[in-house]
Amino acid sequence: AQKVTQAQTEISVVEKEDVTLDCVYETRDTTYYLFWYKQPPSGELVFLIRRNSFDEQNEISGRYSWNFQKSTSSFNFTITASQVVDSAVYFCAFVGGGGSNYKLTFGKGTLLTVNP
Amino acid sequence: GAVVSQHPSRVICKSGTSVKIECRSLDFQATTMFWYRQFPKKSLMLMATSNEGSKATYEQGVEKDKFLINHASLTLSTLTVTSAHPEDSSFYICSARDHRTYNEQFFGPGTRLTVL
């Protein structure tokens, strides 16, 4: 069975600090997809990134970057120079089996609070 | 990008009544839609997978007769909470799979149900 662990329940930083959100997954699948979503207080899930298991290249998008390490089954997310608007719950999620079952398994989420 | 809407966004009802929540894919056809439930400060829990033209597949522990799901068209799935009770109060989120983008799930904005 797949499992996604986000060990950090809550993180609080001061604006402009860098922050890394950890995500560790467990699976026996060789083909899978990993995702990060942002959930602001409004509740709507915002898609941030999808990464497939064959692509270990790190990704950077503006202040956001992702570090995928298959060797440690981790898919960590870093926000550089954090801003108050980054305050939200961030979920790491997993789809296994080549995505054929399409079911997303979510981690428990990390509440990020960025203070001015 | 693909857009998924949910209606209503908020609903308050009396105990014992039934509530219907609609999930629509606005600019794509969704052969599969998913219904999630989220308690405060908790992660998303998959309730059921809804396939167009067939019966929904419920996750373990989810009562089929309590949460009726209908996916009558490629753009609409409905979740009916029957004989609602206060413990059914929650945030319900749907997602729709775009068959063109295989593993991509697009999320609706969610419906906050409060049962008095």
Side-chain angles (χ1 to χ4, degrees), chain B:
Chain B
V3 179
V4 176
S5 70
Q6 270 184 252
H7 178 79
S9 57
R10 288 179 179 273
V11 57
I12 301 173
C13 69
K14 291 183 179 179
S15 191
T17 60
S18 293
V19 175
K20 181 186 283 189
I21 303 169
E22 291 185 351
C23 178
R24 292 182 186 273
S25 55
L26 297 186
D27 51 1
F28 67 98
Q29 294 182 330
T31 52
T32 306
M33 289 184 171
F34 301 87
W35 286 95
Y36 296 84
R37 183 174 182 176
Q38 186 180 30
F39 290 105
K41 298 190 177 182
K42 296 292 184 184
S43 188
L44 282 77
M45 182 191 79
L46 179 65
M47 299 174 66
T49 302
S50 167
N51 293 298
E52 187 264 338
S54 63
K55 290 184 179 180
T57 303
Y58 290 81
E59 295 299 300
Q60 197 170 15
V62 178
E63 298 176 61
K64 300 178 185 181
D65 297 331
K66 175 75 172 173
F67 300 101
L68 299 179
I69 291 172
N70 183 276
H71 192 161
S73 78
L74 285 171
T75 58
L76 173 65
S77 176
T78 60
L79 167 68
T80 301
V81 183
T82 62
S83 187
H85 290 286
E87 57 265 29
D88 298 324
S89 298
S90 192
F91 192 54
Y92 292 89
I93 306 174
C94 75
S95 70
R97 186 176 73 86
D98 186 343
H99 71 282
R100 301 167 301 179
T101 56
Y102 197 59
N103 291 307
E104 203 72 60
Q105 279 189 40
F106 298 94
F107 285 84
T111 297
R112 192 163 302 282
L113 170 64
T114 303
V115 185
L116 303 176

